[in-house]
Amino acid sequence: MTSELQTLRSENIKLKFEVEISAHKYSQSSFEGKKDKVLYYTGLPSFQLLITLFTYLETYIPVKKSMGKFQMYILTLMRLRLNVSATFLSYEFSVSASTVSRIFFEVIDVMYIRMKPLVFWPEREELRKTMPMQFRKYFGTKYVVIIDCFEVFIDRPSNLKARAETWSSYKHHNTVKFLIGITPQGTVSYISKAWGGRASDKKITENSGFLSKLLPGDLVLADRGFDIEASVGSLMAEVKIPAFTKGKNQLAPIDLETTRKIANVRIHVERVIGTVRQKYTILNGPLPVDFLMCRENENLTLIDNVGHVCCACVNLCDSVVDFN
């Protein structure tokens, strides 16, 4: 019995030591003054921003005996940023994989609710006053948003209906699709809920609530897949898309010039999507099917919350658009 007691004591000391090492590795002090570490683990550009965001969220993060609030916050950002598994994080933070999953679900919910205002549709006057010269030169001050869709790979659902609804003929994979809108200033001003990869760009745009944001006189830039002139026109707004080349040997000079102007500024939405995916690689997938499940009494899935939080975090970083 004495030998067994000594063994248990040794194991207890060892476990306490591992927990202390883990807690120190991801403590606030371990990130202070280490810009590269903050960027690598969280995607945020500075320690000051990391702490400011934590202070904003801290009161609402649930208390856990197994882990401090700051470690829970870092764990969640690490999963978004690095797309690492719950098993990997369980070893890093010395907790079970199921605990990691619960913490991730709970903290993402808090981040979504608290950070939802960071993805917002600006007032028209604010847009006009800060319109970058490139947009002002080509489209005046009427332009309010560039829209595009991006897809996230998911695991193959076992349910046949879900499998059909998420099959993307473009990606040849099961995916979910988001509609994203960016301002001339390069911030994400709109992100839809996740749709099955089978849904067309037009269907998502007309049924996601995006059109309710538009006012008479607004100008929207989009890609060729967005056949939404009629629905946008019914709101007395305008959509500009590149000219179609199918069946034409050569574009008319006016169509060529318009297409060139649109291409010059549309690239910014692709750069923002690229930034979101690069900073938060969880959106490169493949994501487990349980990310798509609606929880009890809720209309949002985990992937809806994840997409919104990733875009909100990118809005806290420097813009990709040159204002000169």
Side-chain angles (χ1 to χ4, degrees):
M1 284 183 67
T2 304
S3 174
E4 187 177 345
L5 182 60
Q6 186 61 41
T7 303
L8 289 172
R9 282 176 178 168
S10 298
E11 287 179 0
N12 189 32
I13 291 169
K14 184 182 177 182
L15 288 171
K16 280 183 177 178
F17 179 74
E18 288 176 356
V19 169
E20 286 173 4
I21 290 293
S22 173
H24 177 72
K25 185 178 179 181
Y26 297 110
S27 65
Q28 290 190 34
S29 59
S30 70
F31 286 92
E32 190 170 0
K34 297 178 182 176
K35 183 177 179 181
D36 290 343
K37 182 178 179 179
V38 171
L39 183 62
Y40 177 77
Y41 281 111
T42 72
L44 299 175
S46 68
F47 174 73
Q48 184 178 6
L49 183 57
L50 177 72
I51 295 301
T52 301
L53 182 57
F54 174 63
T55 303
Y56 179 66
L57 300 170
E58 183 178 9
T59 306
Y60 303 90
I61 295 175
V63 176
K64 298 283 184 184
K65 290 182 179 179
S66 55
M67 197 181 301
K69 289 188 176 185
F70 185 80
Q71 282 72 39
M72 293 166 65
Y73 167 65
I74 291 296
L75 179 152
T76 304
L77 286 174
M78 283 177 63
R79 190 159 192 197
L80 295 177
R81 167 72 169 159
L82 304 173
N83 195 21
V84 288
S85 67
T87 303
F88 173 84
L89 291 171
S90 71
Y91 289 123
E92 283 292 288
F93 289 88
S94 302
V95 293
S96 67
S98 59
T99 299
V100 168
S101 295
R102 279 196 303 273
I103 288 172
F104 181 71
F105 273 66
E106 291 173 4
V107 177
I108 274 290
D109 283 347
V110 171
M111 293 179 78
Y112 170 75
I113 293 168
R114 294 289 289 163
M115 297 175 71
K116 194 173 182 181
L118 296 178
V119 178
F120 68 97
W121 196 275
E123 296 295 328
R124 302 306 183 275
E125 191 58 31
E126 293 174 0
L127 289 175
R128 294 188 184 100
K129 285 179 179 178
T130 58
M131 184 78 65
M133 288 308 298
Q134 185 181 16
F135 293 90
R136 193 183 296 270
K137 175 183 174 183
Y138 292 146
F139 302 106
T141 57
K142 293 194 302 179
Y143 158 64
V144 295
V145 68
I146 311 175
I147 58 173
D148 205 351
C149 285
F150 70 93
E151 297 184 65
V152 180
F153 285 6
I154 61 169
D155 290 337
R156 190 185 189 199
S158 57
N159 181 280
L160 292 178
K161 184 179 179 183
R163 194 183 303 173
E165 288 178 349
T166 57
W167 177 255
S168 169
S169 56
Y170 178 66
K171 295 289 186 180
H172 302 288
H173 200 283
N174 292 98
T175 68
V176 291
K177 186 186 284 190
F178 291 94
L179 172 68
I180 190 173
I182 73 159
T183 65
Q185 293 76 8
T187 60
V188 180
S189 58
Y190 182 82
I191 181 75
S192 72
K193 293 180 182 179
W195 290 66
R198 184 180 178 182
S200 67
D201 295 347
K202 178 180 179 180
K203 179 180 179 180
I204 297 172
T205 307
E206 292 181 341
N207 294 277
S208 65
F210 168 78
L211 295 179
S212 65
K213 304 284 187 182
L214 299 180
L215 296 177
D218 283 348
L219 176 61
V220 179
L221 302 185
D223 203 4
R224 290 187 181 94
F226 288 84
D227 182 21
I228 54 173
E229 288 90 343
S231 53
V232 172
S234 67
L235 300 167
M236 294 173 31
E238 182 184 2
V239 59
K240 283 190 179 292
I241 61 174
F244 287 92
T245 56
K246 190 175 181 180
K248 298 179 182 178
N249 293 326
Q250 188 174 351
L251 289 174
I254 188 170
D255 289 337
L256 185 63
E257 180 64 16
T258 301
T259 298
R260 184 182 66 81
K261 289 177 180 178
I262 294 171
N264 281 341
V265 295
R266 261 206 84 261
I267 193 172
H268 294 309
V269 73
E270 294 169 9
R271 291 175 66 197
V272 171
I273 291 172
T275 300
V276 174
R277 285 180 178 278
Q278 184 183 16
K279 279 188 173 292
Y280 299 102
T281 57
I282 195 169
L283 293 178
N284 292 325
L287 297 177
V289 175
D290 60 0
F291 273 46
L292 279 63
M293 305 295 182
C294 284
R295 282 162 285 177
E296 244 183 277
N297 304 319
E298 292 186 31
N299 195 28
L300 291 171
T301 64
L302 181 59
I303 185 57
D304 294 327
N305 293 358
V306 165
H308 199 102
V309 168
C310 291
C311 288
C313 287
V314 167
N315 278 353
L316 293 173
C317 304
D318 293 336
S319 172
V320 300
V321 175
D322 183 6
F323 280 70
N324 295 321

